[in-house]
Every structure is written in structure tokens, then in C-alpha cells.
Amino acid sequence: MKAYYLLAAVALFIATSCSSKSGNKVDASDAKEATANIGSQKLVVDTLASTVAWKGYKPGGSHHGTLGIKQGELSVENGELVSGTFTLDMNKILCEDLTDAKMNEQLVGHLKSADFFDVAKYPEGKFTITTVEKLNDGVNTHRISGNLELKGVSKNITFDANVTNEGTSYKATTATFTIDRTQWGVNYGSKNIFKDLKDSFINDDMEVTITIVANAE
């Protein structure tokens, strides 16, 4: 059973390589210089209303959950998002689909260990916007690029999002996208790194959807 728990834990943050399940694949690049907070209107991220959702797959199953958001702010100019940043609380990794309390605790504990996100050493992650491009595709309103930092590694990623506002409250919801976990040094179970895993490998992709709600100071 111990082996089962370990294999299940591995799957939590890993998405399938099948593009029909894992959404838009994002290729990370070197971190870029962040945009200064140039907007005249400052917004504070509502950490209770905002979420970073993940979904991971393994052969024959999947798991999903969320990451905590510790703090953040966005900057707006003439009603348009121009910059921002938010901090991830890696101690608040949650799995939402396992109802057995013991299994849930074991899985989350393994994710927090050095095998995965090494939360004791890296208790926070971070996302900082580097560019914002307005879109007109009828679905998403903006294309956002930013530096995602996990385990002390910072990589630039780009994804589409729908940004709306009601008065002084703004909401940004990304299209679901996937990133390759190994680009941030989360290598456990990767057949691209460990060649002798045979059928015990776990795919490298993980699926992410971000919702940020921010309100005027």
C-alpha cells in the first residue's frame, strides 16, 4: 500500500500528455524583466476569492485541487490591467478529490516534501506580470506574460485570460493551460530524466487555471 500512496501522490501535480485533456501547452522561457507598477489605480488581491487550481493525471486516474494565495496586487490604467504580482502559499496545497482523510494527508504531505515542491525550503511561489496584450478573439480579452517562480526557479510563461470589472472590482480568469513541471526542477517520476522507470513513469505536464479577484484599495 505504501507504494500505492507514493504513486498516487506523484500524480497530483502531473497532467497527461494528451492535449485534449491538458489544454493549451505553455512553453516556459527565461525570466524577463518585470513591468513596473505603472498603473494609476492600485488593486489589492482578494485572497479568499482568488484561486490557483491544478489537475493532474496518471494512467487510469486523476486528482485535482488548489494552491493558496498569500497576497498580491494589480495595477490598472484607464480601466486596463497593466501590471501586477501575487504570492503563492505553498503550505496551502490542497487536494479536493480524495475524501479519505488519511490518504489525503499522505498525498499532500508528499507534495510538500523535497521530492516535489520542498515547501520547508521554498514556502512561497510567485507570479509577476511582465507584459499585457489586449485581445479581441471573442473569448479572452488579454494575453498575459509573467515570471512564475517555484522552488527558487523563475520562468516566463504566457497565457490568455478574460478580464472583467464591475466598478472598482476586477476579475481575471485564465484559459486552462499546462506547464512542464520539470522546467521548475520538479523531476520526480519523469521518464525524460530517469530512464529506468519502465511503466512507473509520470507525465511531466500539469494543468493550471488561475482566477484572480482584486479590489481598489
PDB file of all heavy atoms in Angstrom, residues 181-200:
ATOM      1  N   ARG A 181       6.409  20.616 -15.470  1.00  0.00           N
ATOM      2  CA  ARG A 181       6.899  20.771 -14.100  1.00  0.00           C
ATOM      3  C   ARG A 181       8.416  20.687 -13.998  1.00  0.00           C
ATOM      4  O   ARG A 181       9.028  21.314 -13.137  1.00  0.00           O
ATOM      5  CB  ARG A 181       6.285  19.692 -13.209  1.00  0.00           C
ATOM      6  CG  ARG A 181       6.696  18.272 -13.641  1.00  0.00           C
ATOM      7  CD  ARG A 181       5.932  17.207 -12.886  1.00  0.00           C
ATOM      8  NE  ARG A 181       6.190  15.894 -13.450  1.00  0.00           N
ATOM      9  CZ  ARG A 181       6.979  14.976 -12.898  1.00  0.00           C
ATOM     10  NH1 ARG A 181       7.627  15.246 -11.789  1.00  0.00           N
ATOM     11  NH2 ARG A 181       7.123  13.802 -13.474  1.00  0.00           N
ATOM     12  N   THR A 182       9.039  19.913 -14.888  1.00  0.00           N
ATOM     13  CA  THR A 182      10.487  19.713 -14.774  1.00  0.00           C
ATOM     14  C   THR A 182      11.265  20.987 -15.081  1.00  0.00           C
ATOM     15  O   THR A 182      12.430  21.107 -14.709  1.00  0.00           O
ATOM     16  CB  THR A 182      10.971  18.584 -15.695  1.00  0.00           C
ATOM     17  OG1 THR A 182      10.773  18.945 -17.062  1.00  0.00           O
ATOM     18  CG2 THR A 182      10.228  17.281 -15.396  1.00  0.00           C
ATOM     19  N   GLN A 183      10.625  21.961 -15.751  1.00  0.00           N
ATOM     20  CA  GLN A 183      11.300  23.232 -16.008  1.00  0.00           C
ATOM     21  C   GLN A 183      11.490  24.045 -14.725  1.00  0.00           C
ATOM     22  O   GLN A 183      12.254  25.005 -14.704  1.00  0.00           O
ATOM     23  CB  GLN A 183      10.531  24.036 -17.055  1.00  0.00           C
ATOM     24  CG  GLN A 183      10.559  23.390 -18.438  1.00  0.00           C
ATOM     25  CD  GLN A 183       9.942  24.269 -19.499  1.00  0.00           C
ATOM     26  OE1 GLN A 183       8.762  24.599 -19.445  1.00  0.00           O
ATOM     27  NE2 GLN A 183      10.746  24.672 -20.466  1.00  0.00           N
ATOM     28  N   TRP A 184      10.805  23.640 -13.657  1.00  0.00           N
ATOM     29  CA  TRP A 184      10.984  24.257 -12.341  1.00  0.00           C
ATOM     30  C   TRP A 184      11.664  23.296 -11.351  1.00  0.00           C
ATOM     31  O   TRP A 184      11.609  23.502 -10.146  1.00  0.00           O
ATOM     32  CB  TRP A 184       9.639  24.720 -11.783  1.00  0.00           C
ATOM     33  CG  TRP A 184       9.128  25.953 -12.450  1.00  0.00           C
ATOM     34  CD1 TRP A 184       9.284  27.245 -12.044  1.00  0.00           C
ATOM     35  CD2 TRP A 184       8.371  26.029 -13.671  1.00  0.00           C
ATOM     36  NE1 TRP A 184       8.675  28.118 -12.919  1.00  0.00           N
ATOM     37  CE2 TRP A 184       8.107  27.394 -13.936  1.00  0.00           C
ATOM     38  CE3 TRP A 184       7.888  25.078 -14.572  1.00  0.00           C
ATOM     39  CZ2 TRP A 184       7.387  27.824 -15.060  1.00  0.00           C
ATOM     40  CZ3 TRP A 184       7.178  25.498 -15.678  1.00  0.00           C
ATOM     41  CH2 TRP A 184       6.944  26.858 -15.927  1.00  0.00           C
ATOM     42  N   GLY A 185      12.271  22.245 -11.885  1.00  0.00           N
ATOM     43  CA  GLY A 185      13.021  21.326 -11.041  1.00  0.00           C
ATOM     44  C   GLY A 185      12.184  20.328 -10.277  1.00  0.00           C
ATOM     45  O   GLY A 185      12.668  19.709  -9.317  1.00  0.00           O
ATOM     46  N   VAL A 186      10.920  20.137 -10.672  1.00  0.00           N
ATOM     47  CA  VAL A 186      10.069  19.115 -10.046  1.00  0.00           C
ATOM     48  C   VAL A 186      10.170  17.861 -10.914  1.00  0.00           C
ATOM     49  O   VAL A 186       9.390  17.649 -11.843  1.00  0.00           O
ATOM     50  CB  VAL A 186       8.608  19.598  -9.932  1.00  0.00           C
ATOM     51  CG1 VAL A 186       7.758  18.582  -9.171  1.00  0.00           C
ATOM     52  CG2 VAL A 186       8.553  20.955  -9.228  1.00  0.00           C
ATOM     53  N   ASN A 187      11.159  17.031 -10.618  1.00  0.00           N
ATOM     54  CA  ASN A 187      11.576  15.970 -11.537  1.00  0.00           C
ATOM     55  C   ASN A 187      11.087  14.571 -11.181  1.00  0.00           C
ATOM     56  O   ASN A 187      11.235  13.645 -11.981  1.00  0.00           O
ATOM     57  CB  ASN A 187      13.107  15.936 -11.606  1.00  0.00           C
ATOM     58  CG  ASN A 187      13.699  17.238 -12.108  1.00  0.00           C
ATOM     59  OD1 ASN A 187      13.079  17.946 -12.908  1.00  0.00           O
ATOM     60  ND2 ASN A 187      14.889  17.578 -11.635  1.00  0.00           N
ATOM     61  N   TYR A 188      10.510  14.391 -10.018  1.00  0.00           N
ATOM     62  CA  TYR A 188      10.169  13.062  -9.522  1.00  0.00           C
ATOM     63  C   TYR A 188       9.287  12.290 -10.521  1.00  0.00           C
ATOM     64  O   TYR A 188       8.250  12.784 -10.964  1.00  0.00           O
ATOM     65  CB  TYR A 188       9.444  13.187  -8.185  1.00  0.00           C
ATOM     66  CG  TYR A 188       9.302  11.899  -7.426  1.00  0.00           C
ATOM     67  CD1 TYR A 188      10.279  11.477  -6.540  1.00  0.00           C
ATOM     68  CD2 TYR A 188       8.175  11.109  -7.590  1.00  0.00           C
ATOM     69  CE1 TYR A 188      10.147  10.302  -5.823  1.00  0.00           C
ATOM     70  CE2 TYR A 188       8.029   9.934  -6.884  1.00  0.00           C
ATOM     71  CZ  TYR A 188       9.011   9.531  -6.006  1.00  0.00           C
ATOM     72  OH  TYR A 188       8.865   8.356  -5.304  1.00  0.00           O
ATOM     73  N   GLY A 189       9.724  11.111 -10.897  1.00  0.00           N
ATOM     74  CA  GLY A 189       8.940  10.250 -11.768  1.00  0.00           C
ATOM     75  C   GLY A 189       8.953  10.606 -13.241  1.00  0.00           C
ATOM     76  O   GLY A 189       8.200  10.034 -14.020  1.00  0.00           O
ATOM     77  N   SER A 190       9.806  11.518 -13.659  1.00  0.00           N
ATOM     78  CA  SER A 190       9.853  11.926 -15.062  1.00  0.00           C
ATOM     79  C   SER A 190      10.696  10.942 -15.874  1.00  0.00           C
ATOM     80  O   SER A 190      11.879  10.764 -15.598  1.00  0.00           O
ATOM     81  CB  SER A 190      10.455  13.330 -15.188  1.00  0.00           C
ATOM     82  OG  SER A 190      10.706  13.636 -16.546  1.00  0.00           O
ATOM     83  N   LYS A 191      10.104  10.341 -16.889  1.00  0.00           N
ATOM     84  CA  LYS A 191      10.854   9.398 -17.715  1.00  0.00           C
ATOM     85  C   LYS A 191      11.856  10.123 -18.615  1.00  0.00           C
ATOM     86  O   LYS A 191      12.776   9.490 -19.147  1.00  0.00           O
ATOM     87  CB  LYS A 191       9.913   8.559 -18.568  1.00  0.00           C
ATOM     88  CG  LYS A 191       9.183   9.307 -19.681  1.00  0.00           C
ATOM     89  CD  LYS A 191       8.356   8.349 -20.517  1.00  0.00           C
ATOM     90  CE  LYS A 191       7.631   9.079 -21.643  1.00  0.00           C
ATOM     91  NZ  LYS A 191       6.847   8.155 -22.493  1.00  0.00           N
ATOM     92  N   ASN A 192      11.691  11.420 -18.789  1.00  0.00           N
ATOM     93  CA  ASN A 192      12.654  12.189 -19.575  1.00  0.00           C
ATOM     94  C   ASN A 192      13.937  12.457 -18.796  1.00  0.00           C
ATOM     95  O   ASN A 192      14.949  12.853 -19.381  1.00  0.00           O
ATOM     96  CB  ASN A 192      12.025  13.515 -20.020  1.00  0.00           C
ATOM     97  CG  ASN A 192      10.921  13.322 -21.030  1.00  0.00           C
ATOM     98  OD1 ASN A 192      11.064  12.518 -21.948  1.00  0.00           O
ATOM     99  ND2 ASN A 192       9.824  14.027 -20.860  1.00  0.00           N
ATOM    100  N   ILE A 193      13.872  12.272 -17.490  1.00  0.00           N
ATOM    101  CA  ILE A 193      15.040  12.474 -16.643  1.00  0.00           C
ATOM    102  C   ILE A 193      15.559  11.154 -16.090  1.00  0.00           C
ATOM    103  O   ILE A 193      16.761  10.910 -16.063  1.00  0.00           O
ATOM    104  CB  ILE A 193      14.697  13.454 -15.506  1.00  0.00           C
ATOM    105  CG1 ILE A 193      14.387  14.843 -16.104  1.00  0.00           C
ATOM    106  CG2 ILE A 193      15.852  13.563 -14.495  1.00  0.00           C
ATOM    107  CD1 ILE A 193      13.883  15.842 -15.105  1.00  0.00           C
ATOM    108  N   PHE A 194      14.643  10.287 -15.673  1.00  0.00           N
ATOM    109  CA  PHE A 194      15.008   8.977 -15.134  1.00  0.00           C
ATOM    110  C   PHE A 194      14.628   7.907 -16.160  1.00  0.00           C
ATOM    111  O   PHE A 194      13.450   7.627 -16.366  1.00  0.00           O
ATOM    112  CB  PHE A 194      14.299   8.738 -13.805  1.00  0.00           C
ATOM    113  CG  PHE A 194      14.560   9.820 -12.784  1.00  0.00           C
ATOM    114  CD1 PHE A 194      13.603  10.795 -12.536  1.00  0.00           C
ATOM    115  CD2 PHE A 194      15.760   9.873 -12.110  1.00  0.00           C
ATOM    116  CE1 PHE A 194      13.832  11.802 -11.605  1.00  0.00           C
ATOM    117  CE2 PHE A 194      16.009  10.875 -11.179  1.00  0.00           C
ATOM    118  CZ  PHE A 194      15.039  11.837 -10.929  1.00  0.00           C
ATOM    119  N   LYS A 195      15.614   7.309 -16.797  1.00  0.00           N
ATOM    120  CA  LYS A 195      15.376   6.453 -17.956  1.00  0.00           C
ATOM    121  C   LYS A 195      14.973   5.020 -17.605  1.00  0.00           C
ATOM    122  O   LYS A 195      14.590   4.258 -18.475  1.00  0.00           O
ATOM    123  CB  LYS A 195      16.639   6.411 -18.833  1.00  0.00           C
ATOM    124  CG  LYS A 195      17.122   7.792 -19.292  1.00  0.00           C
ATOM    125  CD  LYS A 195      16.059   8.527 -20.090  1.00  0.00           C
ATOM    126  CE  LYS A 195      16.575   9.872 -20.592  1.00  0.00           C
ATOM    127  NZ  LYS A 195      15.537  10.624 -21.329  1.00  0.00           N
ATOM    128  N   ASP A 196      15.068   4.629 -16.328  1.00  0.00           N
ATOM    129  CA  ASP A 196      14.820   3.239 -15.954  1.00  0.00           C
ATOM    130  C   ASP A 196      13.485   3.039 -15.240  1.00  0.00           C
ATOM    131  O   ASP A 196      13.284   2.062 -14.517  1.00  0.00           O
ATOM    132  CB  ASP A 196      15.950   2.724 -15.059  1.00  0.00           C
ATOM    133  CG  ASP A 196      16.108   3.558 -13.789  1.00  0.00           C
ATOM    134  OD1 ASP A 196      15.492   4.632 -13.726  1.00  0.00           O
ATOM    135  OD2 ASP A 196      16.839   3.117 -12.881  1.00  0.00           O
ATOM    136  N   LEU A 197      12.529   3.930 -15.449  1.00  0.00           N
ATOM    137  CA  LEU A 197      11.263   3.858 -14.733  1.00  0.00           C
ATOM    138  C   LEU A 197      10.290   2.851 -15.324  1.00  0.00           C
ATOM    139  O   LEU A 197       9.316   2.470 -14.672  1.00  0.00           O
ATOM    140  CB  LEU A 197      10.597   5.247 -14.721  1.00  0.00           C
ATOM    141  CG  LEU A 197      11.343   6.326 -13.945  1.00  0.00           C
ATOM    142  CD1 LEU A 197      10.635   7.662 -14.092  1.00  0.00           C
ATOM    143  CD2 LEU A 197      11.476   5.960 -12.482  1.00  0.00           C
ATOM    144  N   LYS A 198      10.528   2.435 -16.553  1.00  0.00           N
ATOM    145  CA  LYS A 198       9.647   1.489 -17.253  1.00  0.00           C
ATOM    146  C   LYS A 198       8.212   2.022 -17.224  1.00  0.00           C
ATOM    147  O   LYS A 198       7.948   3.122 -17.679  1.00  0.00           O
ATOM    148  CB  LYS A 198       9.773   0.099 -16.644  1.00  0.00           C
ATOM    149  CG  LYS A 198      11.170  -0.483 -16.794  1.00  0.00           C
ATOM    150  CD  LYS A 198      11.261  -1.874 -16.228  1.00  0.00           C
ATOM    151  CE  LYS A 198      12.681  -2.434 -16.401  1.00  0.00           C
ATOM    152  NZ  LYS A 198      12.831  -3.784 -15.857  1.00  0.00           N
ATOM    153  N   ASP A 199       7.268   1.245 -16.663  1.00  0.00           N
ATOM    154  CA  ASP A 199       5.865   1.665 -16.657  1.00  0.00           C
ATOM    155  C   ASP A 199       5.497   2.496 -15.440  1.00  0.00           C
ATOM    156  O   ASP A 199       4.325   2.822 -15.240  1.00  0.00           O
ATOM    157  CB  ASP A 199       4.947   0.443 -16.718  1.00  0.00           C
ATOM    158  CG  ASP A 199       5.059  -0.293 -18.040  1.00  0.00           C
ATOM    159  OD1 ASP A 199       5.421   0.351 -19.040  1.00  0.00           O
ATOM    160  OD2 ASP A 199       4.788  -1.507 -18.068  1.00  0.00           O
ATOM    161  N   SER A 200       6.482   2.858 -14.628  1.00  0.00           N
ATOM    162  CA  SER A 200       6.196   3.622 -13.412  1.00  0.00           C
ATOM    163  C   SER A 200       6.366   5.125 -13.600  1.00  0.00           C
ATOM    164  O   SER A 200       6.315   5.871 -12.630  1.00  0.00           O
ATOM    165  CB  SER A 200       7.125   3.157 -12.276  1.00  0.00           C
ATOM    166  OG  SER A 200       6.899   1.809 -11.972  1.00  0.00           O
TER     167      SER A 200
END
